[in-house]
Amino acid sequence: MALLPILRYPDPRLHKVAKPVQAVDARITALIADMLETMYDASGIGLAATQVDVHERLVVIDVSEGRNEPQVFINPEIVWASDEKAVGDEGCLSVPGIYDGVERSTAVRVQALDGEGRLRTVEAEGLLAICLQHELDHLKGKVFVEYLSPLKRNRIKTKLVKQQKEEARG
Ligand code: GNR
Ligand code: NI
């Protein structure tokens, strides 16, 4: 098991489009374990492989109170999304310290392989529905700040670049 470094906005690698996982083999099983460890360590409710610089369609999520209900989505696809939408505040481990409203479908149906390679269909609403849409965006190379106005996005970019320069200087 290992903690993986999380890419931070505006890293251009966050905009790469992930390719399907070809086989749920030992490499993927190890990656799932490392991603779960990294997500729990960072206190996130989800993590997409893109965020750890692996450009394959793999997501881990845990929206449970006890942080003990990990869910694995391999090659996930949204097969249905509700017309009903709502705005909710979002954050992202790749955009630390920034929270803003994003409009999403309130319910989605997602088809994916689980960690054992079994095909399943999940109906989600509430936080899980939001998180799934946020993570599937990452796999397409999309970060939630791209839903915000160019003015807000540029302010966020400037702030994070400055932060990372200061950290690098120490
Ligand atoms: O930890 C996270 N919290 C969160 C809150 C509201 C909407 C989406 C999220 S996902 C985020 C973890 C993350 O960055 N996943 O990509
Ligand atoms: Ni995110």
Side-chain angles (χ1 to χ4, degrees):
M1 298 262 282
L3 287 179
L4 306 170
I6 298 175
L7 298 179
R8 279 198 276 171
Y9 189 78
D11 193 309
R13 291 171 290 182
L14 285 169
H15 304 301
K16 291 174 77 168
V17 177
K19 296 190 165 69
V21 168
Q22 290 299 335
V24 184
D25 54 15
R27 179 181 66 89
I28 292 297
T29 303
L31 178 58
I32 290 166
D34 289 347
M35 284 176 60
L36 282 168
E37 186 183 358
T38 302
M39 177 188 74
Y40 287 125
D41 179 75
S43 301
I45 60 169
L47 187 69
T50 305
Q51 294 176 276
V52 294
D53 203 22
V54 175
H55 303 282
E56 297 178 54
R57 296 186 61 82
L58 169 60
V59 161
V60 297
I61 291 179
D62 189 339
V63 293
S64 73
E65 287 279 322
R67 317 280 299 142
N68 58 356
E69 293 173 34
Q71 300 195 57
V72 176
F73 297 88
I74 298 169
N75 298 339
E77 299 293 344
I78 294 177
V79 295
W80 172 83
S82 64
D83 290 333
E84 184 186 54
K85 293 183 180 179
V87 176
D89 257 11
E90 295 195 12
C92 181
L93 296 174
S94 295
V95 194
I98 306 291
Y99 304 87
D100 213 327
V102 176
E103 186 179 71
R104 305 275 191 192
S105 290
T106 57
V108 292
R109 191 175 302 133
V110 170
Q111 204 163 80
L113 302 179
D114 67 14
E116 277 82 51
R118 295 174 298 221
L119 185 65
R120 61 176 187 150
T121 304
V122 174
E123 295 257 3
E125 55 177 27
L127 189 56
L128 181 57
I130 293 167
C131 191
L132 278 165
Q133 291 170 83
H134 176 113
E135 304 309 342
L136 269 74
D137 272 352
H138 275 304
L139 300 180
K140 290 190 295 191
K142 186 156 185 170
V143 179
F144 87 95
V145 297
E146 291 171 68
Y147 291 106
L148 308 179
S149 70
L151 177 65
K152 278 189 180 179
R153 188 161 60 250
N154 279 317
R155 282 179 176 159
I156 291 165
K157 203 177 282 181
T158 302
K159 185 176 174 178
L160 292 184
V161 167
K162 185 163 170 260
Q163 245 170 37
Q164 286 170 66
K165 277 188 185 147
E166 283 169 358
E167 275 174 33
R169 208 178 324 112

